[in-house]
Amino acid sequence: PAVVHRGANISHMKDGAKKVHFSFPTTLTKDELLENSSENAEEDGKNVKYMIESEVYMGDSGYEFEFNDVTGQLKEVRISWLP
């Protein structure tokens, strides 16, 4: 059987993380996001999603922003992609 080395590509992930840049401050609030980019936004409680349907596969992909319930500031960003 083949031996799988978990974490073998971790250095590539760390290098890639150095090249990822976002055009919004990490202190962004939900209200600020919606003031600037409300078109096509789906609001669901503490989450704001910008999704599109895949043209090839079943499902959708896009951006999902999660905000802190107390401060309203950005807590997490999730990006998914399907062609």
Side-chain angles (χ1 to χ4, degrees), residues 7 15-16 20 26 28 37 41 44 55 69-70 73 76-77 80-81:
D15 289 343
V20 173
T26 55
L28 181 72
S37 304
D44 180 21
E55 295 178 7
D69 286 333
V70 177
Q73 287 188 331
E76 188 173 315
V77 177
S80 61
W81 179 78

Side-chain angles (χ1 to χ4, degrees), residues 6 17-19 23 27-30 33-35 38 40 44 46 55 57 61 74:
R6 296 188 191 276
K18 293 176 187 173
K19 298 174 185 171
S23 297
T27 58
L28 181 72
T29 66
K30 181 179 173 183
L33 176 63
L34 292 172
E35 283 174 19
S38 61
N40 299 321
D44 180 21
K46 62 184 177 182
E55 295 178 7
Y57 301 102
S61 60
L74 184 62

Side-chain angles (χ1 to χ4, degrees), residues 5-69:
H5 296 283
R6 296 188 191 276
N9 292 326
I10 195 79
S11 63
H12 296 293
M13 290 173 55
K14 288 180 179 178
D15 289 343
K18 293 176 187 173
K19 298 174 185 171
V20 173
H21 301 279
F22 295 102
S23 297
F24 52 83
T26 55
T27 58
L28 181 72
T29 66
K30 181 179 173 183
D31 290 339
E32 291 170 335
L33 176 63
L34 292 172
E35 283 174 19
N36 188 50
S37 304
S38 61
E39 188 176 331
N40 299 321
E42 298 175 33
E43 225 179 315
D44 180 21
K46 62 184 177 182
N47 298 326
V48 177
K49 298 179 183 181
Y50 300 89
M51 308 299 279
I52 60 169
E53 287 293 319
S54 170
E55 295 178 7
V56 178
Y57 301 102
M58 290 179 53
D60 55 13
S61 60
Y63 302 89
E64 182 174 352
F65 296 82
E66 183 178 335
F67 296 90
N68 182 290
D69 286 333

